[in-house]
Amino acid sequence: MDFKLLMVFVDQDRTDTVLTAAREAGATGATIINNAQGQGLKPQLTFFGLEFMASRSVILILVEARRAESVLNAVSTAGKLDESLDTGIALEIEVSKALGLTEHIKALSKERPLD
């Protein structure tokens, strides 16, 4: 079975919305890294002239390759990723090898087929 890793970088207040959309689109789970920080295209300065970096979540979703596109589209829509420069990004990475998934693969084989 082939897998892809989806990485979603989104404001923490959108994390639950993104996770719900991912599950509805066929994802079976995710790992969330909270309180991540980063810099965008332009720094956002506070009134003291310091750079403001809002807390972000990094959501890692290992998904069966056939489900990857629908999950990626769902998280993009739910996270409103294409609405402005600072809403976040999502990307897909090929997974050449994954271990510890024997029981997951059995469960996926019993689940509903792809639409």
Side-chain angles (χ1 to χ4, degrees), residues 20-28 64 66-67 70-71 106-115:
T20 299
R23 187 166 297 277
E24 289 173 357
T28 57
E64 183 184 6
R66 294 179 300 159
R67 300 171 189 242
S70 63
V71 175
K106 287 179 188 176
L108 283 171
S109 298
K110 294 176 186 175
E111 276 191 17
R112 63 179 169 83
L114 292 172
D115 298 332

Side-chain angles (χ1 to χ4, degrees), residues 10-51:
V10 68
D11 288 337
Q12 278 190 278
D13 61 348
R14 295 186 183 176
T15 301
D16 289 336
T17 304
V18 168
L19 290 171
T20 299
R23 187 166 297 277
E24 289 173 357
T28 57
T31 298
I32 300 100
I33 303 169
N34 288 314
N35 299 320
Q37 293 184 334
Q39 295 180 338
L41 186 62
K42 296 181 182 178
Q44 294 181 358
L45 302 178
T46 67
F47 53 90
F48 291 120
L50 302 171
E51 186 173 359

Side-chain angles (χ1 to χ4, degrees), residues 33-107:
I33 303 169
N34 288 314
N35 299 320
Q37 293 184 334
Q39 295 180 338
L41 186 62
K42 296 181 182 178
Q44 294 181 358
L45 302 178
T46 67
F47 53 90
F48 291 120
L50 302 171
E51 186 173 359
F52 172 74
M53 289 192 271
S55 291
R56 295 257 172 158
S57 292
V58 178
I59 304 169
L60 306 172
I61 305 168
L62 186 65
V63 64
E64 183 184 6
R66 294 179 300 159
R67 300 171 189 242
E69 185 173 357
S70 63
V71 175
L72 189 61
N73 290 335
V75 300
S76 178
T77 301
K80 301 178 181 180
L81 301 185
D82 283 325
E83 290 191 7
S84 71
L85 288 173
D86 58 354
T87 55
I89 62 169
L91 54 100
E92 176 183 291
I93 299 172
E94 295 283 338
V95 175
S96 61
K97 192 175 200 178
L99 303 175
L101 296 172
T102 303
E103 294 303 315
H104 295 275
I105 292 170
K106 287 179 188 176

